Amino acid sequence: MTDETQQRPQGANSDPADLPTQYAPAEVEGKLYERWVERGYFEADATSSKPPYTVVIPPPNVTGSLHLGHAFEHTLIDALTRRKRMQGYETLWQPGMDHAGIATQNVVERELAKEGTSRHDLGREAFVERVWQWKAESGGQISGQMRRLGDGVDWSRERFTMDEGLSKSVQTIFKRLFDDGLIYRAERIINWCPRCLTAISDIEVEYADEDGELVSIRYGEGDDSLVVATTRAETMLGDTAVAVHPDDERYAHLVGRTVKLPLTDRSIPVVADSHVDPEFGTGAVKVTPAHDPNDFEIGRRHGLPNLTVMDERAVITAPGPFQGQDRLEARSAIVAALRAEGRIVAEKRPYSHSVGHCSRCKTTIEPRLSLQWWVKTGPLAQAAGDAVRDGRVAIHPKEMESRYFGWVDNLHDWCISRQLWWGHRIPVWYGPGGEVVCVGPDEEPPSGEGWYQDSDVLDTWFSSGLWPFSTLGWPEQTDSLGRFYPNSVLVTGYDILFFWVARMMMFGLYAMDGTPPFHTIVLHGMVRDQFGKKMSKSFGNAVNPLDWMDSYGSDALRFTLARGANPGVDVPIGEDWVQASRNFANKVWNATRFALINGATVDGPLPAPEEMSAADRWILSRLNTVVAETDAQYEDYQFAKLSDALYHFAWDEVFDWYVELSKTTFFAGGRPAEVSGRVLGEVLDVLLRLLHPVMPFVTETLWTTLTGGESLVIADWPKDSGFRDKEAEQELADVQEAVTEVRRFRADQGLQPGQRVPARMTLEGTALAAHEEAIRSLLRLQPAGEDFSVTASLPVAKALVELDLSGAIDFAAERKRLEKDLAAAEKELKQTTAKLSNEGFLGKAPEQVVDKIRDRQAAAGADITRIQTQLENMPRG
């Protein structure tokens, strides 16, 4: 509820004619959003004295379009920022896009291929210009879709990871890291895509089980031979050793000696290395340092040569009969040649194993030794771990902390160079005498004969790792940087905890003098279909969120997503659930129209409690409780719980009970109707404010009509006034119990909801006495006439409701049904009583099991009492 200091609109325009009889989202959403943007509601002022609240958008790829994962994440962020804005914070939701190096280059290269040309035909400079042209014409489709969803971002601050300011940030931090010895160039094993012809990051590798073959190959002769197994026989051409465990006595006599490598003229050493698992396979492994990351480390420990036998397109380069063959061709040819020589000891086909693929082109990746640029992550990762350990940064849910520590505490050096043309070019120049010069953004690069710039570009994650401060103007000390850094919260999926989040932590702490980029990291799960299956075009279950927004409205989609958002847990979603949320939006719409028609108002202060009915005091008491609960759940990022609580409060308590109970008051008119109209106006005012962050469009339309206020976007967030009335809550609980029990009885008898039944109610001395008219209306009970005959007697809420069902029920059939139910209840009581009387069972059964049986026993006893009462009061028929 609003407190005394808040500004309340006076003279509200609450004409129900302003609201159509049905809510049509398509006619409302676009116009409303543009009005919000035009009025500058989402723009953040760096000079404001309000407390800041900052969230950055996880920058979507410039090649992308809105998918359900985006819609889910954006809904949560928008809900947080809308609420904070209403609470009086200077709120910045920072928008922007990522240049998406490989993805964007692939898109433009495909366009060039359709034109019969390639990037190499254009040359680097012309190709990059072509990409910028594509970005201007076709990129950024997602921006328009974000507007459809209602994202309250500050469009005046929109940034792009390749724009001038962010490019300066990238060059600045590269230079600083280089000068501090935290960036270096070295040969290491990387993930290599033979199609994209570049190194790719771990997150750009997708693993899938594939059927291949496992072949066991004998190296050497007789007692001096060993058997190794591999799924990649073609890499044996690059073997430079066989490794065994130091304690494996089977091979102790071979360590330090050499064996002949089949199909070659080379002999390779047998080395002892603790990395080898003696229990796996034969306990001997082939070592190919230039084509396997584990083998590379073994090779480094033992000083083995790195022999590269494939080029960048995964074509065999080793001299001999297999030279020039593609890796897969060579694999079959090498196995055939080994088989012909009698070197194949065993073959397992098919052999299912995990294979990495490039996420962009789906080509099988190739581990490859390559000269690349690296970030020395040790000290940076240590700082990123310490920031969480010492409480400067909180991870929510807390159980995700262990996954974070498991990553940053064991982080390998990061390969940051990519063999692309689109991206931030590495700011390093090489001279004719072997000079290496790193150039900062305000420095002139060296020139003259023989000087040239490194041809590689930086990994996209390098620039996106700077996002929380580069978007605010760093390295310049701007007002925005001083005002909005660090970010208040980061909302992102747990799937990029290791890749994006860890990099932002490392760079933020390094660049901003130990200040982490955000106070809280909120991790959400992945959106899945209604059966919990991953959404994918190949599975046929992928959904375009725009289709659901077109059919049901953006609010319906947003509410469905928020209602499934339990921290760190995947979110199932189905179209039926979106339809249900649409129905909820319609219910809110219809209830507000009803309220307006019946004189609901927000004008003036609330009436004194003594003027209110018990129903009025009950709903206001419940309203304040819901305000407090909603606040607590927002602070704990419990979007599902707060959405569910608001849904049930609105539908179950406000619409199904308070509105229905108020109908008789409104019909009677007079001062009680005025009081209830003011209370209903208050309830709807607050409820629409509470729902607004998740359902912004329908609530804005209804609230401005109800209150005459300018916009919910800038309205005050409700506060718990502290008003509670436990007596009224108990009184209405009794009413609800009575109505629910009679409704259940009616349904059990097969009566139609609208079927009127004569009834006599004995309510004197109970809380129900003041509500008889409303109860009769809700239950469709007409007064007892002279010919009234009691056919059913229901004791409810310390009162008695007697019904005459003689004209509505087949009593013989009903008696038969009740007797059957009674027998089942008596059987249940007998069984549960026997178990609870068994000392052996009570001594062994877990406490929770015993408690459940006690609950079943109590329920059975209550059912017996209820059914016997019904039978006793039922006429013979």
Side-chain angles (χ1 to χ4, degrees):
M1 294 172 63
T2 53
D3 62 21
E4 294 178 358
T5 65
Q6 293 179 292
Q7 295 298 312
R8 300 301 305 270
Q10 297 295 315
N13 175 19
S14 55
D15 185 352
D18 292 344
L19 292 178
T21 55
Q22 291 184 329
Y23 177 49
E27 297 176 11
V28 169
E29 294 174 350
K31 296 175 183 177
L32 267 187
Y33 189 83
E34 290 309 313
R35 185 187 308 159
W36 293 333
V37 173
E38 289 168 4
R39 294 182 178 180
Y41 292 156
F42 304 138
E43 293 180 10
D45 181 2
T47 65
S48 168
S49 61
K50 297 178 182 178
Y53 187 82
T54 316
V55 185
V56 294
I57 193 173
N61 288 350
V62 68
T63 58
S65 60
L66 194 73
H67 57 65
L68 273 178
H70 288 126
F72 173 54
E73 188 168 77
H74 290 199
T75 294
L76 304 187
I77 299 174
D78 198 41
L80 290 175
T81 52
R82 283 179 181 270
R83 173 175 173 262
K84 285 296 184 180
R85 190 178 292 110
M86 295 173 74
Q87 286 183 312
Y89 286 77
E90 192 62 38
T91 302
L92 169 60
W93 182 8
Q94 172 68 55
M97 287 183 292
D98 193 288
H99 65 278
I102 293 179
T104 306
Q105 181 157 318
N106 281 347
V107 168
V108 178
E109 284 198 79
R110 284 196 294 268
E111 286 195 352
L112 292 175
K114 293 175 184 177
E115 300 169 10
T117 187
S118 71
R119 65 181 169 110
H120 299 287
D121 295 329
L122 292 180
R124 183 168 193 146
E125 186 175 337
F127 175 76
V128 171
E129 182 60 35
R130 178 65 180 265
V131 180
W132 278 108
Q133 179 184 337
W134 173 88
K135 190 257 182 186
E137 295 174 354
S138 306
Q141 177 185 2
I142 201 167
S143 295
Q145 297 167 338
M146 287 167 58
R147 294 170 182 265
R148 283 287 313 277
L149 190 65
D151 289 0
V153 300
D154 185 347
W155 291 110
S156 69
R157 293 173 176 266
E158 187 175 13
R159 303 305 297 267
F160 180 54
T161 51
M162 285 283 287
D163 68 28
E164 183 177 352
L166 270 65
S167 294
K168 182 177 181 180
S169 300
V170 169
Q171 196 172 352
T172 299
I173 202 163
F174 188 100
K175 170 72 172 173
R176 292 188 185 180
L177 290 164
F178 181 89
D179 289 347
D180 286 346
L182 295 174
I183 281 184
Y184 65 94
R185 197 180 190 214
E187 276 196 325
R188 297 282 190 275
I189 293 287
I190 45 85
N191 301 311
W192 181 266
C193 176
R195 155 61 183 79
C196 298
L197 299 181
T198 181
I200 60 176
S201 67
D202 291 337
I203 198 172
E204 292 164 326
V205 179
E206 294 179 347
Y207 288 91
D209 289 340
E210 287 187 358
D211 285 339
E213 60 177 348
L214 180 68
V215 293
S216 298
I217 308 168
R218 179 168 51 85
Y219 287 18
E221 306 294 340
D223 292 340
D224 292 342
S225 67
L226 306 91
V227 175
V228 300
T230 182
T231 59
R232 303 169 67 223
E234 69 279 9
T235 63
M236 68 165 291
L237 300 176
D239 287 358
T240 56
V242 175
V244 298
H245 194 274
D247 299 331
D248 195 333
E249 296 181 358
R250 293 172 295 175
Y251 304 115
H253 65 292
L254 292 177
V255 174
R257 297 170 59 184
T258 62
V259 293
K260 179 73 181 302
L261 179 65
L263 305 182
T264 73
D265 295 327
R266 293 189 294 117
S267 292
I268 56 177
V270 178
V271 300
D273 194 278
S274 58
H275 171 77
V276 180
D277 181 359
E279 303 298 324
F280 183 77
T282 64
V285 297
K286 60 192 288 297
V287 181
T288 320
H291 294 278
D292 183 274
N294 293 322
D295 292 2
F296 177 77
E297 295 301 325
I298 293 175
R300 289 216 300 181
R301 287 193 288 271
H302 296 277
L304 301 174
N306 300 317
L307 187 59
T308 300
V309 296
M310 275 181 271
D311 67 12
E312 68 274 9
R313 297 184 184 275
V315 172
I316 302 298
T317 58
F322 312 107
Q323 189 174 20
Q325 293 183 355
D326 173 82
R327 56 183 167 171
L328 298 182
E329 292 178 88
R331 182 177 302 171
S332 299
I334 288 171
V335 170
L338 290 168
R339 191 182 297 114
E341 289 191 5
R343 294 282 174 182
I344 300 295
V345 175
E347 297 181 67
K348 186 175 183 180
R349 188 185 299 111
Y351 177 74
S352 180
H353 63 127
S354 182
V355 177
H357 300 81
C358 173
S359 63
R360 304 301 176 188
C361 67
K362 311 308 176 186
T363 302
T364 300
I365 62 107
E366 189 66 42
R368 186 169 188 262
L369 184 65
S370 181
L371 182 63
Q372 302 283 348
W373 285 95
W374 303 81
V375 169
K376 186 181 294 183
T377 57
L380 301 174
Q382 175 69 43
D386 290 346
V388 175
R389 287 190 174 93
D390 63 26
R392 282 175 289 158
V393 178
I395 293 179
H396 187 88
K398 191 173 178 60
E399 53 265 27
M400 286 283 183
E401 280 187 3
S402 60
R403 297 180 65 177
Y404 175 79
F405 293 136
W407 177 257
V408 297
D409 292 348
N410 300 283
L411 194 59
H412 298 297
D413 285 359
W414 169 23
C415 176
I416 56 172
S417 47
R418 298 291 180 266
Q419 290 64 55
L420 303 170
W421 287 356
W422 173 244
H424 296 282
R425 195 163 176 182
I426 289 177
V428 171
W429 272 255
Y430 305 103
E435 301 93 337
V436 178
V437 177
C438 181
V439 178
D442 300 319
E443 300 172 350
E444 287 294 326
S447 58
E449 187 176 350
W451 283 93
Y452 64 95
Q453 186 178 359
D454 195 299
S455 60
D456 288 353
V457 300
L458 288 164
D459 178 13
T460 297
W461 294 102
F462 190 94
S463 53
S464 61
L466 313 180
W467 193 247
F469 51 94
S470 64
T471 52
L472 298 173
W474 186 90
E476 306 301 328
Q477 295 304 308
T478 64
D479 289 343
S480 291
L481 185 65
R483 183 76 173 139
F484 296 115
Y485 186 93
N487 291 185
S488 305
V489 65
L490 173 75
V491 180
T492 191
Y494 63 70
D495 57 319
I496 57 173
L497 170 64
F498 314 132
F499 304 104
W500 187 45
V501 179
R503 282 151 174 72
M504 286 191 291
M505 287 285 284
M506 291 191 296
F507 282 164
L509 289 159
Y510 173 79
M512 299 300 293
D513 300 321
T515 301
F518 17 73
H519 297 301
T520 304
I521 300 169
V522 175
L523 297 170
H524 59 72
M526 312 300 293
V527 178
R528 297 181 177 272
D529 71 11
Q530 59 188 318
F531 306 108
K533 190 175 181 180
K534 180 181 178 181
M535 285 190 172
S536 167
K537 290 181 180 178
S538 60
F539 295 155
N541 62 350
V543 174
N544 183 346
L546 294 176
D547 293 340
W548 280 353
M549 286 192 279
D550 288 342
S551 298
Y552 308 111
S554 298
D555 287 326
L557 176 63
R558 290 170 60 117
F559 191 72
T560 305
L561 291 166
R563 205 174 174 193
N566 290 297
V569 179
D570 288 346
V571 182
I573 185 172
E575 187 167 6
D576 289 350
W577 304 342
V578 186
Q579 289 177 347
S581 295
R582 185 270 314 273
N583 294 344
F584 176 58
N586 288 341
K587 186 75 171 179
V588 176
W589 183 273
N590 292 333
T592 306
R593 286 194 82 253
F594 167 85
L596 291 172
I597 290 170
N598 286 278
T601 179
V602 298
D603 289 347
L606 282 170
E610 53 269 22
E611 275 201 281
M612 298 180 189
S613 68
D616 295 333
R617 298 193 306 277
W618 161 72
I619 199 62
L620 290 176
S621 182
R622 288 291 304 128
L623 179 67
N624 277 286
T625 299
V626 169
V627 169
E629 290 174 349
T630 302
D631 276 331
Q633 288 158 353
Y634 260 116
E635 295 304 314
D636 198 32
Y637 306 101
Q638 297 286 352
F639 297 99
K641 289 182 179 179
L642 72 90
S643 298
D644 204 51
L646 289 174
Y647 173 90
H648 286 294
F649 173 69
W651 197 306
D652 300 347
E653 298 186 76
V654 178
F655 306 151
D656 281 359
W657 285 105
Y658 182 68
V659 168
E660 292 300 318
L661 288 168
S662 299
K663 284 181 178 179
T664 54
T665 304
F666 289 137
F667 182 76
R671 179 57 182 166
E674 291 178 3
V675 170
S676 290
R678 179 64 189 88
V679 170
L680 181 54
E682 179 75 10
V683 171
L684 289 174
D685 175 16
V686 174
L687 177 60
L688 292 171
R689 293 172 193 247
L690 293 173
L691 285 170
H692 177 72
V694 178
M695 305 180 76
F697 294 108
V698 67
T699 54
E700 173 85 340
T701 306
L702 294 173
W703 186 84
T704 53
T705 304
L706 173 71
T707 69
E710 180 182 341
S711 173
L712 263 177
V713 180
I714 56 172
D716 292 330
W717 181 253
K719 293 182 179 179
D720 175 7
S721 71
F723 177 81
R724 298 291 190 278
D725 192 325
K726 293 302 179 184
E727 290 185 5
E729 289 192 33
Q730 182 57 56
E731 184 171 331
L732 267 293
D734 290 345
V735 172
Q736 290 173 318
E737 177 189 341
V739 172
T740 301
E741 182 65 22
V742 176
R743 278 177 174 168
R744 190 184 70 79
F745 177 79
R746 287 175 58 109
D748 286 346
Q749 311 309 312
L751 294 177
Q752 295 300 313
Q755 187 173 354
R756 293 196 170 274
V757 175
R760 183 166 60 211
M761 305 176 72
T762 306
L763 309 179
E764 289 78 8
T766 73
L768 303 182
H771 302 279
E772 178 172 355
E773 185 177 357
I775 293 172
R776 284 186 176 276
S777 176
L778 290 170
L779 292 172
R780 304 295 191 269
L781 301 180
Q782 62 192 41
E786 294 182 359
D787 56 348
F788 182 80
S789 173
V790 178
T791 58
S793 182
L794 303 175
V796 290
K798 302 176 183 177
L800 184 65
V801 176
E802 298 169 305
L803 305 175
D804 182 355
L805 306 178
S806 56
I809 294 179
D810 181 341
F811 288 108
E814 179 59 18
R815 178 173 291 278
K816 186 176 182 181
R817 185 187 68 80
L818 288 173
E819 288 172 345
K820 182 179 179 181
D821 290 347
L822 180 61
E826 289 173 338
K827 181 179 179 181
E828 172 75 353
L829 180 63
K830 182 178 179 181
Q831 290 175 340
T832 52
T833 301
K835 280 191 175 183
L836 294 173
S837 301
N838 185 333
E839 294 298 331
F841 169 77
L842 294 176
K844 295 179 181 179
E847 184 177 350
Q848 61 267 32
V849 172
V850 175
D851 288 342
K852 285 184 179 180
I853 293 174
R854 288 196 179 104
D855 290 343
R856 286 169 51 193
Q857 181 190 46
D863 285 343
I864 290 171
T865 300
R866 175 179 57 80
I867 296 169
Q868 286 176 336
T869 300
Q870 289 180 256
L871 286 170
E872 289 171 2
N873 292 313
M874 181 178 291
R876 295 284 175 178

